[in-house]
Amino acid sequence: MTAVAQSETDAHWMRQALAAARDAAQLDEVPIGTCIVVDDTILAVAGNRTRTDNDPTAHAEMVALRAAAKEATNYRLSDAVVYSTIEPCVMCAGALIQARVRRLVYGARDERAGAVESHFGVCDTDFLNHRIEVSAGVLEDECREMMQEFFRARRVRKVMSDK
């Protein structure tokens, strides 16, 4: 794992992922966004779509990986940098390994389900056949706040509907 190596380039692409997360929130999806870039060109941008698509695998990272592989006409994305607003779960981290992604940049940790640093260490374990360079904490405050605000509003709606 590498510490925050926040460059202006990383912040630029993370803003694209944040925009996708905001779009997902508008659909009442958990506001996570992902942007996949190769050589300063976007291959894919996506937000969570699990509820919209009735698909438990339609996390932002998975949706973006599928679109990027189609765009690249290759399931291997070995030159790709993936920007995700939140630390990927075990399913998404595993998919990043399978795609042979070069680098993962994420905003905020997910203490509950994150599988990169919080739990498992999927992206840099020595028992898998690929390791991913990881940078964490890029636009961390904005990424965390978007999630906190979404769940805060959801709790308020639940309390209001229970009355």
Side-chain angles (χ1 to χ4, degrees), residues 124-136:
D124 68 350
T125 184
D126 60 1
F127 63 82
L128 293 175
N129 60 345
H130 180 70
R131 286 177 191 78
I132 298 172
E133 177 187 337
V134 176
S135 297

Side-chain angles (χ1 to χ4, degrees), residues 30-94:
V30 174
I32 298 173
T34 299
C35 178
I36 301 179
V37 177
V38 173
D39 296 328
D40 285 330
T41 301
I42 291 179
L43 288 185
V45 179
N48 269 1
R49 296 189 53 85
T50 55
R51 290 186 170 107
T52 302
D53 293 354
N54 292 311
D55 178 356
T57 70
H59 292 192
E61 298 91 338
M62 300 295 285
V63 175
L65 281 170
R66 289 179 189 125
K70 282 187 180 181
E71 180 67 24
T73 64
N74 193 339
Y75 72 103
R76 298 278 195 227
L77 300 170
S78 57
D79 293 326
V81 179
V82 173
Y83 294 87
S84 186
T85 56
I86 301 296
E87 178 184 6
C89 71
V90 71
M91 173 183 68
C92 295

Side-chain angles (χ1 to χ4, degrees), residues 86-103:
I86 301 296
E87 178 184 6
C89 71
V90 71
M91 173 183 68
C92 295
L96 296 173
I97 294 288
Q98 293 301 312
R100 306 298 193 268
V101 165
R102 178 174 63 81
R103 183 170 175 242

